Amino acid sequence: MTAVADSTPHDTHDVLFLGGGLAGLTLAMQLRQRCPGIDVHVLERRAHPVPHACHKVGESSVEIGAHYFENVLGLKAHLMGDQLKKFGFRFFFSEGRRDLENVLEIGVSEALPMASWQIDRGIFENFLGEEAQRRGVRFTDRAVVREIELSSAAAPAADGLHRVRWQPEGAAMRESRARWVIDAAGRAGLVKKKLGLARENAHAAHAVWFRIGEHLAVDEWSENPAWRARVGMKKRWLSTNHLVGAGYWVWLIPLASGSHSVGIVADPAYHPLERMNTFERAMEWLAEHQPRLWDELDPRRGKLQDFAFFRRFSYDCERVFSADRWALVGEAGRFLDPFYSPGSDFIAIGNTYVSELIARDRAGQPLAAHTQIFEQIFKSFYDSTLALYVDQYGLFGCPEVLPHKIIWDYTYYWSVLSQLFVQQRLADMASLGALKAELASCQRLNLAVQALLREWGGASANRNAPVMLDQAKLPWFAELNGSLMDEALSDADFRARLREAAERLTALAQEMLDRALAEHPGLAPTAAATGLRDAIAAGIAPQRDFGPMLFAASASAAAASTSAAMAVSGEPVAA
């Protein structure tokens, strides 16, 4: 799908993209939408169309990414027609087990209000390449970037433009000049590498993954009628299923092309990469740790479509936005962890900030202050989200503690970052300034809760009750999810919503602390418990009674006593 036949050896553009994957193509379309008439040229190394199923990972979307694709970019028709609607996240504490009916399951029995998607990246990026061109984006595939010269305030080019020399397949070298250069080259990070911006973070996890050319019928993995009845219409297979154990989790993601994506993500302190870095080793590892999945994969070895791995997949970056008119988007900048599928979220957030900066530049407005502020905010979002993962993989083997973490992490995500995005407040300096105390309180609480969860996990007896904790049966939880679909709020109403969010998180943190200390009084004098008490005391005090928010049966003794009834009904009992 090579376009731009009229391109000259020295063409000039408003924005030149180095990379035409998910981040680059979506930002290119967003810019054409935000700034009609803008000249955008995308250079993509790969040939289009790309393969279905086996193109890239990052296949599960969540609420911010789904809103970005559907409502910001207007891609709902494609998602509904050519991708799979996701049936939420689902977790099985199935370490070493084949009997899923006898382990704890966390998920929903019916869909929550806001939709998200399982995305076949090959199908999606082929569509995006074509759709971008329909919207006026120049797109050149099979284009290899050879050299980058960035103009800067310190060393400006004579015309103030950046220069990129690139080579189309089988053709002579060309040069493109642009006012803006966007590094969307994924992990290759062309601008990041040139400027030495790569930074490690504290998260050392690795991942292996592969695709099988057939859907895995998770709903058939137990013959137990009560287990099957928990989730009607046989929809478990449409979830992003997590099979969890101490130090790792396994993903199962169905794709619209008919394949199933399987991945193992692990902390090397528990499970070294060398135990799983080939398909045969990964299968041996699964036979030991997730034998029910191994049973499904073993007879399908002939349907293996690919295999790949990343050692230490998570990383940071010194900066991703520059007043010298370059930016890094998607995996060219920072990457977190796939456990809660935040990849498309951070593409959406980063692209939105870049769109704001380019729009300001085109309007003749200065960039320096906004570039610095956006960088600080974006980095704070990254750091707050990274805290959900760093040193937390041990909890994945804790059926009594991980359910609390999942409730907290969702609530934090839907209450703060998601609200800022869907209500279009990411770059609203007035609202962010007015909500400084509330946002700081939420961030402090999150760090303190993550520390408590680690201590709690160390004290847990890890009882694995044969129940389903049904998030759809928590009214407040479903309502919070549904609030992401609300119409635009006034400034006053938005600030009231964020204040209520801060109050809710304070109340939830107190309930979690009370639960942890009731089950394990010995945690009371720990630094983690003291730290959370301090964060609660310094937080935004609730002005109303939020009522109980946790499951009473979070794989605790209460769960064991009610397991028979819950196994049939799937009903949680609020504490």
Side-chain angles (χ1 to χ4, degrees), residues 470-490:
D470 187 351
Q471 296 163 331
K473 295 298 195 298
L474 292 174
W476 72 270
F477 194 75
E479 289 168 10
L480 180 59
N481 175 270
S483 73
L484 300 177
M485 302 172 66
D486 288 349
E487 297 295 327
L489 299 175
S490 68

Side-chain angles (χ1 to χ4, degrees), residues 97-171:
R97 304 284 288 269
R98 285 184 164 88
D99 54 338
L100 292 193
E101 69 275 11
N102 291 321
V103 306
L104 183 69
E105 175 182 1
I106 308 170
V108 294
S109 59
E110 56 191 63
L112 294 176
M114 188 169 183
S116 56
W117 306 90
Q118 308 289 24
I119 294 178
D120 186 307
R121 290 287 295 273
I123 293 174
F124 198 36
E125 291 186 24
N126 287 335
F127 166 77
L128 291 175
E130 295 168 356
E131 182 65 16
Q133 291 185 88
R134 285 191 287 269
R135 298 187 186 191
V137 173
R138 293 187 174 191
F139 180 84
T140 304
D141 64 344
R142 293 175 290 180
V144 179
V145 174
R146 300 296 188 188
E147 189 176 352
I148 304 167
E149 292 181 14
L150 297 175
S151 179
S152 67
D159 56 6
L161 300 179
H162 306 300
R163 288 163 167 73
V164 175
R165 280 175 276 282
W166 58 279
Q167 189 168 13
E169 186 177 67

Side-chain angles (χ1 to χ4, degrees), residues 455-477:
E455 292 286 343
W456 192 354
S460 173
N462 293 337
R463 288 165 291 194
N464 194 354
V467 302
M468 176 176 168
L469 301 183
D470 187 351
Q471 296 163 331
K473 295 298 195 298
L474 292 174
W476 72 270
F477 194 75

